[in-house]
Amino acid sequence: MKHAASHIVSRVAASLLGGYAFVWGCVVLGIALLLAAGVPYGEARTVAYLLAFLVFLVCFCWAYAAASLLRVWCVLLGGGAAMTGAAWLLTRA
């Protein structure tokens, strides 16, 4: 029973915390790409924030549907970190 409870807690944490990290990466990368394309900051931010709701919904649902919990953590945290790093590099160029 204890193993099942920790598994559920990890899924919930992955869906919320990992989803937040992934969405953060998507938002900052989206804003950086739109700024690089010449879109004004206010519009770039609005577009990225609107898409963030959909991305978070997909991440949240996928965290419960995926077979491998380790894959969920790796994709959400790793993807979020990679996108945040890419956005940082893009803004420094």
Side-chain angles (χ1 to χ4, degrees):
M1 183 68 169
K2 184 170 173 62
H3 177 68
S6 66
H7 184 77
I8 292 171
V9 168
S10 187
R11 286 265 180 193
V12 171
S15 68
L16 295 175
L17 301 175
Y20 182 83
F22 191 83
V23 169
W24 176 266
C26 284
V27 166
V28 296
L29 182 60
I31 291 172
L33 288 172
L34 288 170
L35 288 175
V39 177
Y41 176 74
E43 292 179 21
R45 184 187 62 201
T46 301
V47 168
Y49 285 170
L50 288 174
L51 291 176
F53 288 108
L54 297 175
V55 173
F56 185 76
L57 177 63
V58 169
C59 291
F60 184 83
C61 292
W62 178 71
Y64 293 103
S68 171
L69 184 57
L70 179 62
R71 182 180 308 132
V72 170
W73 277 108
C74 290
V75 168
L76 293 179
L77 290 180
M83 287 185 284
T84 302
W88 182 78
L89 289 173
L90 186 60
T91 57
R92 298 294 174 232

